[in-house]
Amino acid sequence: MSALLIEGGKRLHGAVKVHGAKNSVLPILAAAILGRGESVIHNCPALSDVTASVAILEHLGCRVRTEGDTLWVDASQLVRSDVPDALMREMRSSVIFLGAVLARTGEAEMSFPGGCELGPRPIDLHLAALRRLGAEVAERAGALCCTAVGLTGCDIVLSLPSVGATENAMLAATGAEGVTTITNAAREPEIVDLQNFLRSMGARVRGAGSSVITVEGGRPLHGGEHTVIGDRIVAATYLSAAAAAGGEAELTGVDYRHLSTVTAVLSEAGCAIRSTPERICIRADRPLRGVRPVRTAPYPGFPTDAQAPVMAALCTAEGTSVFVENIFESRYRHVDELCRMGADIRVEGRVAVVCGGKKLHGAAVKAADLRGAAALVVAALGARGRSTVTGLAHADRGYQDLAGDLRALGAEITRTEERET
């Protein structure tokens, strides 16, 4: 069993480069299937979710090689259009392969995806978009079976600005004859990153970053080359760590504009934040102050993935802070573990009330999901005494070297690997 041992109560000071975005690289890896040639992806993070994506690519017939943070995907010859259940269960984002495989081969078969248990995350919007493009979708023995004699461009109106549904629609639309317009599209920076990669492959896509995306499909695509954007949620985690522990930290490799709602909350809490196109600098002198209600929302609103680490930072803030989770139903699974460290948090439905001013103490805690793991680490850095954080398989899905990066910021943190008996 892996564990992080953290000596809390020590101010941070240092600099770290933020690695490539998990939520960007996964759809980009799926998009590589569309090009009949080799794609080169730079700033690719070493995450367990990336390893799972590579396994899917290789199962489909792609040749993949890695050198440092650069990954080459040769999709010249796909030999399969199915993804086995064991690979699908590795990560929630595996459903993104559905649109890409369908566009490339005209058929796709895969089971329902796995990943963190964050409450219902139906893929009905994904399937509705594929059906609009002309795909036939059936469920047989727990597997999704999609076929399309020929996809045709159309108007797709999403009832919610779902990131995954937007990405799947974009990927499938590249293989459709004619023009596809996606309305009420997600506006996240990762959508823009996917568009830029598709353009490098010869696709005609425009509008990403707005609520209307247009794809002119039916063009043969080739391999592309692209550098993945920095991970804004990793950056939000490290900013929260500095806020919780106090001190100064400098982050590079991430666009500060993608973090504006997070930095606004931390600034209101009393942190001094200075941003340039190349870096984000934070100075935190404790104690922090409580903030106005934080409501998660689709981009450009406050990101649901940043809710847990920011909440952890505000556990010791003077006053009360309220969080309203509007994206997922089960996004407060970290709360009970924070309370084991001395936090006073009360949850009612989608609302969590953080009664601050409490001193946290070290404890043995276990993560239940990816961002919850980050929250427990943030809290441990601000707590007095030693904490042991387990459940690191969740953290490994989205953080390339959480302990190493935090050590670069001056944290006393080590990772132990023990065999289970």
Side-chain angles (χ1 to χ4, degrees), residues 34 99 102-104 129-130 132-135 148 150-154 156 169-180 215-221:
L34 299 169
L102 182 66
R104 174 70 187 269
L130 298 181
R132 284 285 298 159
L133 288 163
L151 298 175
T152 304
C154 63
I156 297 172
M170 290 170 67
L171 296 176
T174 62
E177 291 293 334
V179 177
T180 297
V215 182
E216 297 179 35
R219 297 168 55 85
L221 302 184

Coordinates of all heavy atoms in Angstrom, one line a residue, residues 34 99 102-104 129-130 132-135 148 150-154 156 169-180 215-221:
L34 N -7.7 9.4 -35.2 CA -8.4 9.9 -36.4 C -7.3 10.1 -37.5 O -7.7 10.2 -38.7 CB -9.1 11.3 -36.1 CG -10.2 11.2 -35.1 CD1 -10.6 12.6 -34.6 CD2 -11.4 10.4 -35.7
G99 N -16.4 8.3 -29.8 CA -16.6 9.1 -30.9 C -15.4 9.0 -31.9 O -15.6 8.9 -33.1
L102 N -15.5 5.4 -33.7 CA -16.7 5.4 -34.6 C -16.4 6.2 -35.8 O -16.6 5.8 -37.0 CB -17.9 6.0 -33.9 CG -19.2 6.0 -34.7 CD1 -19.6 4.5 -35.0 CD2 -20.3 6.7 -34.0
A103 N -15.8 7.4 -35.7 CA -15.4 8.2 -36.9 C -14.4 7.6 -37.8 O -14.5 7.7 -39.0 CB -14.9 9.6 -36.4
R104 N -13.4 6.8 -37.2 CA -12.4 6.2 -37.9 C -12.8 4.9 -38.6 O -12.4 4.7 -39.8 CB -11.2 6.0 -37.0 CG -10.0 5.2 -37.7 CD -9.3 6.0 -38.7 NE -8.3 5.2 -39.4 CZ -7.0 5.1 -39.0 NH1 -6.6 5.8 -37.9 NH2 -6.2 4.3 -39.7
A129 N -25.7 12.7 -29.1 CA -24.9 13.5 -30.1 C -24.5 12.5 -31.2 O -24.6 12.9 -32.4 CB -23.7 14.1 -29.5
L130 N -24.1 11.3 -30.9 CA -23.7 10.3 -31.9 C -24.9 9.9 -32.8 O -24.8 9.8 -34.0 CB -23.1 9.1 -31.3 CG -21.8 9.4 -30.5 CD1 -21.2 8.1 -29.9 CD2 -20.7 10.1 -31.4
R132 N -27.5 11.8 -33.4 CA -27.8 12.9 -34.3 C -26.9 12.9 -35.5 O -27.4 13.3 -36.6 CB -27.6 14.2 -33.5 CG -28.7 14.6 -32.5 CD -29.9 15.1 -33.2 NE -29.7 16.3 -34.0 CZ -30.5 16.7 -35.0 NH1 -31.5 16.0 -35.4 NH2 -30.2 17.8 -35.6
L133 N -25.7 12.4 -35.4 CA -24.8 12.3 -36.5 C -25.1 11.1 -37.4 O -24.4 11.0 -38.5 CB -23.3 12.3 -36.0 CG -22.8 13.6 -35.4 CD1 -21.6 13.3 -34.5 CD2 -22.5 14.6 -36.5
G134 N -26.0 10.2 -37.0 CA -26.4 9.1 -37.8 C -25.9 7.8 -37.3 O -26.1 6.7 -38.0
A135 N -25.4 7.7 -36.1 CA -25.0 6.4 -35.6 C -26.2 5.7 -35.0 O -27.1 6.3 -34.5 CB -23.9 6.6 -34.5
A148 N -22.3 2.9 -37.9 CA -22.7 4.0 -38.7 C -22.2 3.7 -40.2 O -21.0 3.6 -40.4 CB -22.0 5.3 -38.3
G150 N -22.6 5.8 -42.5 CA -22.0 7.0 -42.8 C -22.5 8.1 -41.9 O -23.7 8.3 -41.8
L151 N -21.6 8.8 -41.3 CA -22.0 9.9 -40.4 C -22.3 11.2 -41.2 O -21.6 11.4 -42.2 CB -20.9 10.2 -39.3 CG -20.6 9.1 -38.4 CD1 -19.4 9.5 -37.5 CD2 -21.8 8.7 -37.5
T152 N -23.3 11.9 -40.8 CA -23.6 13.1 -41.6 C -23.7 14.3 -40.7 O -24.2 14.3 -39.5 CB -25.0 13.0 -42.2 OG1 -25.0 11.8 -43.0 CG2 -25.4 14.2 -43.1
G153 N -23.1 15.4 -41.1 CA -23.1 16.6 -40.3 C -24.5 17.1 -40.0 O -25.4 16.9 -40.7
C154 N -24.6 17.7 -38.8 CA -25.9 18.1 -38.3 C -25.8 19.2 -37.3 O -24.7 19.6 -36.9 CB -26.7 16.9 -37.8 SG -25.9 16.2 -36.3
I156 N -26.2 19.9 -33.4 CA -26.3 19.2 -32.1 C -26.5 20.3 -31.0 O -25.7 21.2 -30.9 CB -25.1 18.4 -31.8 CG1 -24.9 17.3 -32.9 CG2 -25.1 17.8 -30.4 CD1 -23.6 16.6 -32.8
A169 N -18.6 14.7 -29.4 CA -19.3 15.2 -30.6 C -18.3 15.8 -31.6 O -18.4 15.6 -32.8 CB -20.3 16.3 -30.2
M170 N -17.3 16.5 -31.1 CA -16.2 17.1 -32.0 C -15.5 16.0 -32.7 O -15.2 16.0 -33.9 CB -15.2 17.9 -31.1 CG -15.8 19.2 -30.6 SD -14.7 20.0 -29.4 CE -13.3 20.4 -30.5
L171 N -15.1 14.9 -32.0 CA -14.3 13.8 -32.6 C -15.1 13.1 -33.6 O -14.6 12.8 -34.7 CB -13.8 12.9 -31.5 CG -12.9 13.5 -30.4 CD1 -12.6 12.4 -29.4 CD2 -11.6 13.9 -31.1
A172 N -16.4 12.8 -33.3 CA -17.2 12.0 -34.3 C -17.5 12.9 -35.5 O -17.5 12.4 -36.6 CB -18.5 11.6 -33.6
A173 N -17.7 14.2 -35.3 CA -18.0 15.1 -36.4 C -16.9 15.2 -37.4 O -17.2 15.6 -38.6 CB -18.4 16.5 -35.8
T174 N -15.7 15.0 -37.0 CA -14.6 15.1 -38.0 C -14.7 14.0 -39.0 O -14.2 14.2 -40.2 CB -13.2 14.9 -37.3 OG1 -13.1 13.6 -36.7 CG2 -13.0 16.0 -36.3
G175 N -15.4 12.9 -38.7 CA -15.6 11.8 -39.7 C -17.0 11.9 -40.4 O -17.3 11.0 -41.1
A176 N -17.7 13.0 -40.1 CA -19.1 13.1 -40.7 C -19.0 14.0 -42.0 O -18.2 15.0 -42.0 CB -20.0 13.7 -39.7
E177 N -19.7 13.6 -43.0 CA -19.8 14.4 -44.2 C -20.6 15.7 -44.0 O -21.7 15.6 -43.5 CB -20.4 13.6 -45.4 CG -19.5 12.5 -45.9 CD -18.3 13.0 -46.6 OE1 -18.2 14.2 -47.1 OE2 -17.3 12.3 -46.6
G178 N -20.0 16.9 -44.3 CA -20.8 18.1 -44.1 C -20.4 18.8 -42.8 O -19.4 18.5 -42.1
V179 N -21.2 19.8 -42.5 CA -20.9 20.7 -41.3 C -21.7 20.3 -40.1 O -22.9 20.1 -40.2 CB -21.2 22.1 -41.7 CG1 -21.0 23.1 -40.5 CG2 -20.3 22.6 -42.9
T180 N -21.1 20.2 -39.0 CA -21.7 20.0 -37.7 C -21.6 21.2 -36.8 O -20.5 21.8 -36.7 CB -21.1 18.8 -37.0 OG1 -21.3 17.6 -37.8 CG2 -21.8 18.6 -35.6
V215 N -17.7 22.2 -36.9 CA -16.8 21.2 -37.5 C -17.2 20.9 -38.9 O -18.3 20.5 -39.2 CB -16.8 19.9 -36.7 CG1 -15.8 18.9 -37.2 CG2 -16.5 20.1 -35.2
E216 N -16.2 21.1 -39.8 CA -16.4 20.8 -41.2 C -15.8 19.4 -41.4 O -14.5 19.3 -41.5 CB -15.8 21.8 -42.1 CG -16.4 23.2 -42.0 CD -15.8 24.2 -42.9 OE1 -15.4 23.8 -44.1 OE2 -15.7 25.4 -42.5
G217 N -16.6 18.4 -41.5 CA -16.1 17.0 -41.4 C -15.8 16.4 -42.8 O -15.9 17.1 -43.9
G218 N -15.5 15.1 -42.8 CA -15.3 14.4 -44.1 C -13.9 14.6 -44.7 O -13.7 14.2 -45.9
R219 N -13.0 15.3 -44.1 CA -11.7 15.5 -44.6 C -10.7 14.4 -44.1 O -10.8 14.0 -42.9 CB -11.1 16.9 -44.2 CG -11.9 18.0 -44.7 CD -11.5 19.3 -44.0 NE -10.1 19.6 -44.1 CZ -9.5 20.2 -45.2 NH1 -10.3 20.6 -46.2 NH2 -8.2 20.4 -45.2
P220 N -9.8 13.9 -45.0 CA -8.8 12.9 -44.5 C -7.9 13.6 -43.5 O -7.3 14.7 -43.9 CB -8.2 12.4 -45.8 CG -8.4 13.5 -46.8 CD -9.7 14.1 -46.4
L221 N -7.6 13.0 -42.4 CA -6.7 13.6 -41.4 C -5.4 12.9 -41.4 O -5.3 11.7 -41.6 CB -7.4 13.6 -40.0 CG -8.7 14.3 -39.9 CD1 -9.2 14.3 -38.5 CD2 -8.7 15.7 -40.5

